[in-house]
Amino acid sequence: MFPELNSILNSTPDSFKSSDFILVSDRRADASFLIHHYLSFYLRAGCKVCFLGLVQSFSHYSAVSQRLGVSLAQAREKGQLVFLEGLKDSVGVLLQEDTSQETQPLSYVRSPGAGLEGLFRFVECSMRQSGDGDAGESWGPPVLLIDDLSVLLSLGVSVGAILDFTLYCQATMCSELQGNMVILVRCEEEDADDVDEEGSNLLQRGLVHQCNLALHVEGLPTGYCRDIHGQMEVWWRQRGENIYNQRKIFHFKVHDKGASFFARGTSSAVL
Amino acid sequence: MAAPVRGMAGSISIGNTTSFQKKTRSKLVSIPGTRPSVQNGQLLVSSGYNSLEEDRYDSYSRMLLKYFLAEGVVCGHELFLASARDHPDQIMQELPSPIVDDVAGMKISEGQSQPSDPENPDTMKIAWRYQNQPKVQIALASSVRFGHYYDVSKTMEPELRQAAKCHSFYQLQETPVTTGSRVSNNKNMLLETSQQEASALLMNVRNVLRLGLHSLGSVLWGDDVCCKDNPAHCHALTTFLYILRGLLRTSLSVAMVTVPSHLIQNRAVMGRIIRLSDTAIALESFKGSEKETNPLYKDYHGLLHVRQLPRLNCLSCEVPDTKDLAFKLKRKQFTIERLHLPPDLSETVSRVSKTELAAGCGTTATGNKHLDF
């Protein structure tokens, strides 16, 4: 959890907006540090988190979260965190033709044309389960985290199927269960002469329209800099009936135990 | 490899160094040729972990692949080499010979305070500001054993090479495939074979498996990624890389994949390939391009672009000072350096001003504008 980001977004683990769909995207940069932020944020807030880890293994997130002060292993044991080990389990699904019940969520690896219903069922199932663990704890509002959605395009799933999936998730998570959703999408270079019909840019545009808050990470337009890792654009979109449409750009630097955000031109390396 | 191929901790990474994840966090595991990173406790292997090489004209990435495999031989790791064009045995025979002499290693392992540049053994007098600039080739003071140096003018001794267990996968010798499967059958076989080797290694002997995959994406592998702008099976290659990534995460393996980027026209596919790997480096050779005759680049054979650095088990990675790197292949080694411009030693500059001076003094104040009194 990054305190500076909390103050920018005006939210803390004790008080944050519910029914929020937050879209995190990047172009030629890496926005996964924001996913780590939200993971530790919502776990600290006591929410029940469903994390679809499609590009990294559990131990990777666990190691990072350790530095941010949250233990994923403990959260998983208590039932607060449901983690889908997408990357590692895909190997079995494709090579060993594993069709058991546990691998139903990953059926898209074998047959990407069939859509993401299996994945949605998994999300729905884990969120609807009553949060009472053995200790009788009840968790806060449910949260869905996905890292990252655009890898499904690499596996052959169509943009339409992915957008259907997110729509179903939003209807269930945000509207019905009053929970939150944070999705990471990684975009490519905009190719002026090449209209990419099945691309991540199309996916990102579709998701931006659905979301309440969009965080977009890019490199600095002036080039590579060691002290400022990039810029992040925060776009407050709509919230119920109100349409905000307010945008602000911040610079950031990621370090070992967090990230610092500052207004443009106020990096400590410069001042 | 003469240029540093060491881990992330401490040194300025050239992007060719990454780490892989141990399956268990056992403190007692010690595998030759590996070293835990001080940054995040991962095991590091010199030169590689799903490190992706994009190469404009293919010759230099093959060189780096050979370094990667040679390092594996010297460290006692097991190798798995898959190739579609050249027979794996042929590539193995071309591996560079390691320099066993420790003197060369020790000299470079001195810290920044002592310039090891033989041309300028004393402290710098004119360019003294550069004295404090870190050299890209800084070696970690702790161990010279991690990462070795090679002499590319000689090939590795057959005895040394044969001591390493090497499995090869030669595309053209495998049984003919039937098209129509999403991950084309030959790649499926490749994945299965690599998985078997990797898990066998994990179970039986705790050793690292180094996978070298040459020229993935070229037509010989059965892909049409290179042939068309919108290939029908473009996700065959990306699915393969995804599954390979999963495989590497579940075993003690490291993979280096080379991709002929000049053949892949679709930039979105190239972008996805880069995202699926941990480290991605692009080698842009000057051969055959107009940069070959550009005086700025006369010292080098090509540029090295770091497209992606790994962030495994940590939030931020070792960030290099600069991303402007260039490489050159000398007779005995392949070096990677920070790109710098050659000094401006043109003599015409001073000559012009001398003649103007003479004219100014000779005639009477006819207005040499540089010398108005």
Side-chain angles (χ1 to χ4, degrees):
Chain A
M1 187 177 80
F2 311 145
E4 282 166 12
L5 185 59
N6 285 345
S7 59
I8 289 174
L9 299 176
N10 209 12
S11 60
T12 64
D14 302 318
S15 78
F16 56 89
K17 298 198 194 84
S18 56
S19 305
D20 234 3
F21 174 5
I22 300 167
L23 178 71
V24 178
S25 57
D26 63 30
R27 176 168 287 119
R28 298 195 73 185
D30 193 359
S32 48
F33 67 100
L34 292 172
I35 290 288
H36 293 296
H37 158 80
Y38 278 112
L39 181 58
S40 51
F41 179 94
Y42 286 117
L43 283 175
R44 282 221 189 145
C47 295
K48 177 147 192 216
V49 176
C50 175
F51 193 117
L52 305 184
L54 304 178
V55 288
Q56 297 281 17
S57 60
F58 179 76
S59 36
H60 164 77
Y61 298 108
S62 189
V64 180
S65 298
Q66 202 79 24
R67 292 178 194 217
L68 298 178
V70 170
S71 167
L72 291 195
Q74 242 175 34
R76 193 157 69 160
E77 260 171 67
K78 285 191 295 188
Q80 187 188 8
L81 172 68
V82 176
F83 189 92
L84 176 71
E85 186 84 84
L87 181 63
K88 286 186 179 181
D89 293 346
S90 302
V91 181
V93 170
L94 191 74
L95 293 185
Q96 270 94 48
E97 312 260 323
D98 193 353
T99 48
S100 60
Q101 190 57 31
E102 290 89 47
T103 61
Q104 277 307 102
L106 301 174
S107 55
Y108 57 85
V109 178
R110 247 191 332 271
S111 37
L116 299 170
E117 191 182 334
L119 195 59
F120 171 69
R121 294 280 166 231
F122 172 83
V123 170
E124 194 188 14
C125 201
S126 36
M127 289 291 98
R128 283 197 201 283
Q129 256 168 22
S130 89
D132 298 341
D134 294 328
E137 295 182 67
S138 66
W139 307 113
V143 174
L144 172 65
L145 284 167
I146 306 184
D147 178 16
D148 76 73
L149 203 55
S150 43
V151 81
L152 296 174
L153 293 170
S154 299
L155 294 171
V157 184
S158 70
V159 176
I162 301 178
L163 287 173
D164 285 343
F165 166 75
T166 52
L167 212 55
Y168 269 83
C169 285
Q170 191 179 15
T172 312
M173 296 292 303
C174 302
S175 311
E176 197 188 319
L177 299 173
Q178 308 284 307
N180 290 4
M181 218 161 79
V182 181
I183 296 184
L184 172 63
V185 169
R186 310 194 70 185
C187 309
E188 309 304 327
E189 286 277 342
E190 290 270 1
D191 232 351
D193 44 335
D194 190 36
V195 178
D196 203 353
E197 286 179 1
E198 282 293 305
S200 45
N201 290 323
L202 188 64
L203 178 62
Q204 191 244 0
R205 279 198 285 272
L207 289 173
V208 152
H209 282 288
Q210 290 177 25
C211 73
N212 302 112
L213 175 68
L215 303 175
H216 184 69
V217 172
E218 273 192 21
L220 292 177
T222 43
Y224 175 72
C225 169
R226 202 164 88 114
D227 296 304
I228 304 172
H229 293 163
Q231 70 181 32
M232 179 182 73
E233 183 197 62
V234 183
W235 186 3
W236 286 272
R237 292 182 46 83
Q238 61 196 49
R239 176 108 210 121
E241 308 279 302
N242 311 322
I243 298 186
Y244 296 121
N245 206 23
Q246 187 193 16
R247 293 204 210 207
K248 268 196 188 165
I249 293 187
F250 296 90
H251 284 172
F252 67 87
K253 178 173 178 168
V254 183
H255 19 262
D256 214 31
K257 296 203 173 192
S260 44
F261 296 83
F262 33 87
R264 279 188 286 185
T266 59
S267 158
S268 54
V270 168
L271 291 177
Chain B
M1 188 166 172
V5 285
R6 52 194 62 76
M8 280 159 49
S11 69
I12 294 163
S13 160
I14 54 167
N16 200 17
T17 61
T18 47
S19 43
F20 66 89
Q21 182 187 43
K22 261 194 322 167
K23 200 172 175 204
T24 56
R25 287 199 177 275
S26 140
K27 303 158 285 282
L28 304 174
V29 167
S30 90
I31 302 176
T34 64
R35 207 194 44 172
S37 154
V38 291
Q39 204 177 43
N40 50 27
Q42 274 185 279
L43 268 191
L44 300 173
V45 154
S46 50
S47 179
Y49 177 29
N50 207 1
S51 140
L52 179 74
E53 306 265 343
E54 197 189 303
D55 182 23
R56 279 283 147 84
Y57 300 98
D58 196 40
S59 40
Y60 297 108
S61 62
R62 196 188 146 103
M63 165 77 47
L64 286 174
L65 188 67
K66 287 191 284 192
Y67 270 117
F68 175 73
L69 296 168
E71 183 71 12
V73 172
V74 174
C75 294
H77 297 159
E78 281 202 24
L79 306 179
F80 184 106
L81 176 57
S83 159
R85 193 179 62 191
D86 307 310
H87 198 283
D89 289 345
Q90 192 192 340
I91 297 179
M92 286 301 288
Q93 275 159 20
E94 294 171 12
L95 294 189
S97 154
I99 297 174
V100 190
D101 184 9
D102 268 349
V103 176
M106 290 312 258
K107 212 193 278 183
I108 300 183
S109 71
E110 285 163 1
Q112 325 176 189
S113 50
Q114 288 167 309
S116 55
D117 187 356
E119 289 153 27
N120 196 5
D122 301 325
T123 53
M124 297 181 180
K125 292 190 170 58
I126 296 172
W128 59 274
R129 268 293 176 206
Y130 292 112
Q131 180 87 32
N132 298 327
Q133 290 293 321
K135 297 180 183 50
V136 180
Q137 276 114 312
I138 288 178
L140 293 158
S142 53
S143 149
V144 188
R145 285 285 150 235
F146 188 73
H148 298 84
Y149 301 95
Y150 296 89
D151 179 350
V152 291
S153 57
K154 297 189 229 158
T155 53
M156 190 181 275
E157 305 285 314
E159 298 86 46
L160 183 59
R161 191 184 358 117
Q162 274 145 21
K165 273 170 86 173
C166 177
H167 315 272
S168 55
F169 184 98
Y170 187 40
Q171 162 60 8
L172 298 178
Q173 272 174 0
E174 302 298 326
T175 45
V177 301
T178 51
T179 53
S181 81
R182 224 165 38 78
V183 177
S184 52
N185 286 349
N186 48 356
K187 290 225 201 60
N188 233 355
M189 270 195 293
L190 175 56
L191 281 171
E192 276 166 12
T193 329
S194 7
Q195 191 195 25
Q196 279 158 16
E197 298 303 333
S199 36
L201 261 183
L202 190 63
M203 294 305 150
N204 308 332
V205 181
R206 286 211 142 245
N207 199 358
V208 170
L209 176 68
R210 290 192 181 223
L211 291 113
L213 306 176
H214 186 52
S215 244
L216 218 56
S218 72
V219 200
L220 295 164
W221 282 103
D223 280 319
D224 59 355
V225 167
C226 296
C227 307
K228 306 183 197 161
D229 231 359
N230 286 316
H233 301 293
C234 64
H235 50 261
L237 179 59
T238 44
T239 308
F240 171 80
L241 288 174
Y242 183 76
I243 303 292
L244 178 66
R245 188 186 168 97
L247 201 77
L248 296 172
R249 294 286 197 273
T250 51
S251 58
L252 282 173
S253 321
V254 190
M256 180 187 268
V257 177
T258 71
V259 175
S261 65
H262 63 286
L263 297 175
I264 297 179
Q265 298 298 323
N266 192 333
R267 275 169 64 177
V269 173
M270 207 58 230
R272 282 183 205 163
I273 291 174
I274 290 174
R275 294 281 166 78
L276 285 167
S277 54
D278 294 299
T279 311
I281 300 170
L283 296 171
E284 186 189 335
S285 153
F286 294 149
K287 260 191 225 161
S289 79
E290 69 261 8
K291 289 182 181 162
E292 198 172 6
T293 47
N294 188 333
L296 289 177
Y297 295 135
K298 67 173 160 54
D299 289 334
Y300 303 108
H301 287 129
L303 295 176
L304 187 139
H305 306 281
V306 176
R307 296 258 191 255
Q308 185 163 268
L309 287 169
R311 280 183 186 83
L312 285 171
N313 289 5
C314 58
L315 207 51
S316 77
C317 60
E318 186 76 29
V319 179
D321 264 339
T322 170
K323 282 193 172 176
D324 294 320
L325 299 167
F327 64 86
K328 59 183 149 183
L329 177 61
K330 299 198 272 209
R331 196 179 65 87
K332 284 197 167 189
Q333 65 189 27
F334 181 91
T335 40
I336 296 174
E337 293 172 3
R338 196 180 279 167
L339 178 69
H340 59 266
L341 299 175
D344 188 11
L345 289 172
S346 59
E347 292 185 350
T348 52
V349 177
S350 38
R351 235 180 252 140
V352 165
S353 48
K354 273 196 191 124
T355 47
E356 277 180 1
L357 214 72
C361 292
T363 61
T364 44
T366 42
N368 180 344
K369 54 185 178 301
H370 300 294
L371 288 174
D372 286 333
F373 289 99

